[in-house]
Amino acid sequence: MAVSRESYFFMSVNSLSLLLCLTRFVGKSSGAVVPAVYIFGDSLLDNGNNNFLQTQAKSNYTPYGIDFPNGPTGRTTNGATGGDFIATASSAFGETDVIKVDAFGTNYASGGSGILSETGTILGDVLTLNEQINYFNSTVANDLSTIYRIPAILSATLAKSIFIISTGSNDYLNTYLQPQFSNSSQIYPPQEFAKLLLDTFEQQLTVCVCMPWLNLFFAKQILDFIDVFLYILLEPWFATGRTPAVILMRQESVYLDKTREVIEVHQASISKYVMVNPLEQYCSSILAGKDREYRHPHNQMSRIIKPLFQDDAKETSETMAVSRESYFFMSINSLSFLFCLTMFMGKSSGAGVPAIYLIGDSLLDNGNNNFLQTIAKSNYTPYGIDFITGPTGRTTNGATGGDFIAQFLGLPYPPAYLSLSQASRKITTTGITYASGASGILPESGSAMGDILSLDEQINYFNSTVTNDLPTIYSIPAILSAKLAKSIFVISTGSNDYFNNYLQPQFYNSSQTYSPQQFADLLLNTFEQQLTTIYKLGGRKFLVYSLGALGCLPIVRAGANLTSMCLEDVNNLINLYNNGLPTMLQRLTSTLQGSTFVRADLFTLGIDQFQDPVRFGFSDGRTPCCNFDVSGKCIPGGTPCSDRDDRLYYDAIHPSEAVNYKFARDCFFQRNSKYCTPLNVQQLALK
């Protein structure tokens, strides 16, 4: 065939357009037939799911169902629910338009459940909204695909279906208004709690909205598909160095000399552009915390793309009265369904995770040290300057990485254990922070700074939570075990065993007692025993931090009079531990049945960020944001930098909130990340 490359491209585009039009035709056929009704939510819609769960929230007995044909079914009424009536309706709208509903669909609703994962747990095992969405995911991926073997037809069928959702009432009735069982009313004022519900619900709705598009190309992983899709359409121009950067509805296009950068923005390998996954961000900008630029990578995309659209671009049409930036974003909008695909894969957040437990040091401590006699405190300005309540004890300007992971899971920030009264501890179901700044694996690490919670003490407090507090909520041991097995444990420890122990010979004799390798082995063996103890107490899913690049910390570089280099002696020392950590975690995975360990490689991440901060979205990778004292902490009452979102370090030891957010986001969402292996946190949650 004598077809030009341009013609080939538009034939490819037209083929895709035909497929899209076919899907649209199938989804808009006359007769207004609704193929299915899918029901999510609480007892207003539950028609029997709770009958099969270990929960008090059941209605499968008389006088419920007295007017239902089959008697009691689990519906919390005398007959049918509103969802039942909608599913069986044949209602006239005007004189001609009739909605007809086929007898098809699934009810995932669970009485007692709510938007938040903790809601309803005081009643026993209920299906949270996240779990219901995961079951719907299974329906689409495993069940419907066997009926609708053509992905486009399955996609169209789902697009024509009706989704009925009733949720949120129990987040108040069984949570916020039950202070004897939940501490949510102590953590959130009314308006903040409402915002938490709305933000979480919006994420959950976004998952359902984008889900049907996934089935259009369900056979492939989305990122692999995008690579193949772009290659098929754009390969004819690779040889000439010209690639169409945009696809417009009128089949007009712009060809660029600098085209491979555009392709890389679309593909998964975009870490050099800061955005680990801009596609996931496109479908929803609902991200944790305040509306900052670094949390909206699609805004950064405009700055990345802009230099590509310069005067050297070769336009094939001189009649387009549209800016070059507009061409790009018009094409992005025309391919928005592709973006929704990754949104589905990246936003099925909570996966039914009931709780998150944070254990370790200052990277996770959110206030425990406030209640101890120690100088390792951060409960003063300029710490917490960007946190909603101001200083809390977190060693950063805002939230920690553990906070963000909790929010991605649909959970509230886990409170500090020592901040809770005995009564509050017995009603806290969504997780707790036991971490203590300056602590380490060994009991003596950090003790020179005063009274802190060693890792053993933190585990003892978790033991108390499991044996004394949680049983008052989950009275059935099997339910408690199931909740703990589904929870996620985030652990950051070991840095202070070097920073506040081995490297401080004036306070500790460990460097005189142990060679570097012996000390690393001591830490790994002790830590292995501690992780095994947590496993015996019920933990099954772990995210374990490696040691960061301590030799690159501003406080260390300042002591060695280094401005642009890391102290390699320190990095080499701690890597004796880091190199042994993967083997130890793999051994635990093999020996502790049902356990899964994800390793967060903070060392490699820290080196990469230090060497090329711009690639990660930071303009300054050397200078702390606040003025610091000899210990590396911010001077109390000092004024921090105004560009803290662009800084790697907030004080001379700890990262900024921007670093915490990006690490948590990437470790949670990105697949095949070199920084979190062998799974991301979302995959860990789904196991």
Side-chain angles (χ1 to χ4, degrees):
M1 292 177 61
V3 183
S4 67
R5 290 185 174 89
E6 289 81 359
S7 298
Y8 173 82
F9 172 73
F10 289 119
M11 287 172 65
S12 301
V13 173
N14 288 335
S15 298
L16 177 64
S17 300
L18 177 61
L19 176 59
L20 293 176
C21 287
L22 173 62
T23 307
R24 186 170 182 82
F25 171 76
V26 173
K28 291 293 186 179
S29 59
S30 61
V33 175
V34 176
V37 173
Y38 295 97
I39 296 176
F40 302 80
D42 50 31
S43 58
L44 290 182
L45 297 174
D46 183 2
N47 64 2
N49 282 312
N50 281 16
N51 297 348
F52 303 91
L53 301 174
Q54 294 293 323
T55 178
Q56 302 174 34
K58 294 184 180 181
S59 306
N60 56 344
Y61 56 87
T62 56
Y64 291 110
I66 191 171
D67 297 313
F68 200 81
N70 300 325
T73 59
R75 293 166 168 85
T76 53
T77 183
N78 57 306
T81 68
D84 294 329
F85 286 119
I86 293 175
T88 59
S90 179
S91 305
F93 290 82
E95 297 181 356
T96 57
D97 294 332
V98 176
I99 293 182
K100 180 181 179 182
V101 181
D102 292 341
F104 187 73
T106 306
N107 189 318
Y108 307 90
S110 175
S113 70
I115 295 170
L116 303 179
S117 296
E118 68 176 293
T119 298
T121 54
I122 60 174
L123 300 171
D125 189 19
V126 299
L127 301 181
T128 67
L129 193 57
N130 282 330
E131 288 176 303
Q132 295 175 38
I133 293 171
N134 287 334
Y135 279 129
F136 174 62
N137 175 16
S138 178
T139 297
V140 173
N142 303 320
D143 304 329
L144 293 179
S145 58
T146 64
I147 302 171
Y148 303 106
R149 296 185 180 277
I150 300 176
I153 294 179
L154 173 53
S155 179
T157 301
L158 289 170
K160 290 165 59 181
S161 298
I162 289 178
F163 293 75
I164 304 173
I165 305 175
S166 168
T167 191
S169 296
N170 290 312
D171 293 288
Y172 288 95
L173 186 63
N174 288 324
T175 303
Y176 200 76
L177 298 177
Q178 299 285 345
Q180 69 273 32
F181 297 117
S182 172
N183 66 349
S184 55
S185 60
Q186 303 167 28
I187 298 176
Y188 302 99
Q191 186 58 51
E192 289 183 21
F193 187 70
K195 185 178 185 302
L196 171 66
L197 294 184
L198 291 169
D199 288 349
T200 305
F201 190 33
E202 189 169 357
Q203 294 180 22
Q204 293 161 332
L205 288 174
T206 302
V207 172
C208 287
V209 168
C210 288
M211 201 174 283
W213 281 112
L214 179 69
N215 299 282
L216 186 59
F217 304 101
F218 193 80
K220 290 182 177 293
Q221 291 287 339
I222 178 57
L223 293 179
D224 292 338
F225 163 76
I226 291 177
D227 289 342
V228 173
F229 174 78
L230 290 173
Y231 178 80
I232 291 174
L233 290 184
L234 307 180
E235 185 274 337
W237 283 267
F238 283 167
T240 64
R242 299 185 301 158
T243 308
V246 264
I247 306 168
L248 299 179
M249 295 304 292
R250 291 190 297 163
Q251 297 184 348
E252 296 168 316
S253 55
V254 175
Y255 299 96
L256 305 176
D257 290 331
K258 303 176 183 178
T259 56
R260 293 186 182 275
E261 295 183 61
V262 177
I263 300 303
E264 290 174 10
V265 170
H266 285 285
Q267 292 175 328
S269 56
I270 53 167
S271 57
K272 75 177 183 179
Y273 294 108
V274 179
M275 303 168 293
V276 174
N277 192 346
L279 306 178
E280 166 252 312
Q281 304 294 352
Y282 181 85
C283 257
S284 172
S285 61
I286 309 156
L287 297 173
K290 287 175 282 188
D291 213 23
R292 297 210 186 137
E293 187 174 25
Y294 70 82
R295 293 173 184 163
H296 295 275
H298 56 279
N299 292 333
Q300 294 184 2
M301 185 181 290
S302 63
R303 298 201 302 272
I304 294 168
I305 295 300
K306 187 174 181 179
L308 302 179
F309 290 88
Q310 302 298 336
D311 292 337
D312 59 347
K314 302 173 184 178
E315 300 185 24
T316 60
S317 174
E318 299 178 356
T319 62
M320 302 179 186
V322 186
S323 70
R324 292 180 173 87
E325 290 85 358
S326 297
Y327 280 113
F328 181 79
F329 291 108
M330 286 172 66
S331 67
I332 292 296
N333 289 331
S334 68
L335 294 176
S336 60
F337 69 94
L338 289 179
F339 292 172
C340 282
L341 299 183
T342 42
M343 185 66 194
F344 166 75
M345 299 187 71
K347 282 289 189 181
S348 56
S349 303
V353 173
I356 183 171
Y357 296 98
L358 307 183
I359 298 172
D361 51 31
S362 56
L363 289 182
L364 297 174
D365 184 3
N366 62 8
N368 280 311
N369 281 15
N370 298 348
F371 302 89
L372 300 173
Q373 295 295 320
T374 177
I375 62 175
K377 294 185 180 182
S378 306
N379 57 343
Y380 57 86
T381 57
Y383 291 109
I385 191 171
D386 296 309
F387 200 80
I388 190 169
T389 59
T392 60
R394 293 166 168 86
T395 52
T396 185
N397 54 305
T400 69
D403 292 328
F404 285 121
I405 290 174
Q407 190 154 2
F408 292 148
L409 289 167
L411 299 170
Y413 293 170
Y417 180 81
L418 296 182
S419 71
L420 299 173
S421 65
Q422 288 187 351
S424 295
R425 291 169 189 168
K426 294 184 180 300
I427 61 175
T428 301
T429 61
T430 57
I432 293 175
T433 299
Y434 305 92
S436 175
S439 71
I441 295 171
L442 303 179
E444 64 269 24
S445 294
S447 58
M449 305 187 75
D451 185 21
I452 58 174
L453 301 181
S454 69
L455 199 61
D456 285 335
E457 290 176 297
Q458 296 176 41
I459 294 173
N460 287 336
Y461 279 133
F462 174 63
N463 181 18
S464 178
T465 297
V466 172
T467 57
N468 301 323
D469 301 330
L470 290 178
T472 64
I473 303 170
Y474 307 115
S475 57
I476 302 175
I479 293 178
L480 174 56
S481 296
K483 294 293 181 182
L484 290 171
K486 291 163 63 178
S487 299
I488 287 181
F489 294 76
V490 182
I491 304 177
S492 167
T493 192
S495 294
N496 289 306
D497 293 289
Y498 288 95
F499 194 70
N500 284 315
N501 187 334
Y502 200 79
L503 295 174
Q504 301 285 342
Q506 67 273 34
F507 297 115
Y508 306 94
N509 67 350
S510 54
S511 61
Q512 304 163 27
T513 306
Y514 301 99
S515 69
Q517 186 61 60
Q518 289 174 333
F519 189 69
D521 292 340
L522 172 66
L523 295 182
L524 289 167
N525 292 334
T526 305
F527 190 31
E528 185 172 3
Q529 296 174 17
Q530 293 163 331
L531 289 173
T532 301
T533 300
I534 298 174
Y535 172 86
K536 291 179 179 178
L537 291 172
R540 293 295 182 269
K541 300 180 179 183
F542 299 85
L543 172 64
V544 179
Y545 292 9
S546 75
L547 306 189
L550 300 186
C552 301
L553 295 178
I555 186 67
V556 174
R557 289 187 290 107
N561 294 318
L562 299 174
T563 57
S564 60
M565 296 175 58
C566 299
L567 188 58
E568 293 305 321
D569 288 345
V570 172
N571 283 343
N572 292 335
L573 175 67
I574 64 170
N575 267 341
L576 294 174
Y577 171 92
N578 281 338
N579 293 337
L581 183 62
T583 302
M584 184 265 280
L585 296 180
Q586 182 57 49
R587 183 166 58 249
L588 288 178
T589 300
S590 301
T591 58
L592 302 181
Q593 184 177 8
S595 67
T596 304
F597 290 86
V598 172
R599 178 175 60 93
D601 188 355
L602 298 192
F603 183 87
T604 301
L605 176 62
I607 293 294
D608 289 349
Q609 289 176 330
F610 184 84
Q611 292 178 344
D612 191 2
V614 175
R615 179 163 73 94
F616 293 87
F618 301 101
S619 61
D620 192 326
R622 305 287 188 271
T623 312
C625 186
C626 70
N627 294 321
F628 57 93
D629 57 24
V630 293
S631 70
K633 300 287 290 298
C634 293
I635 296 175
T639 301
C641 63
S642 59
D643 61 341
R644 44 192 173 272
D645 290 347
D646 295 324
R647 303 288 185 104
L648 279 180
Y649 298 102
Y650 190 65
D651 61 17
I653 302 172
H654 302 98
S656 66
E657 183 191 46
V659 172
N660 291 333
Y661 168 76
K662 290 182 178 182
F663 157 72
R665 179 198 64 189
D666 299 347
C667 193
F668 192 95
F669 291 117
Q670 185 167 355
R671 294 168 184 264
N672 302 316
S673 169
K674 74 174 183 176
Y675 304 123
C676 284
T677 57
L679 306 171
N680 62 29
V681 178
Q682 186 182 42
Q683 292 168 323
L684 176 66
L686 290 167
K687 284 186 68 69

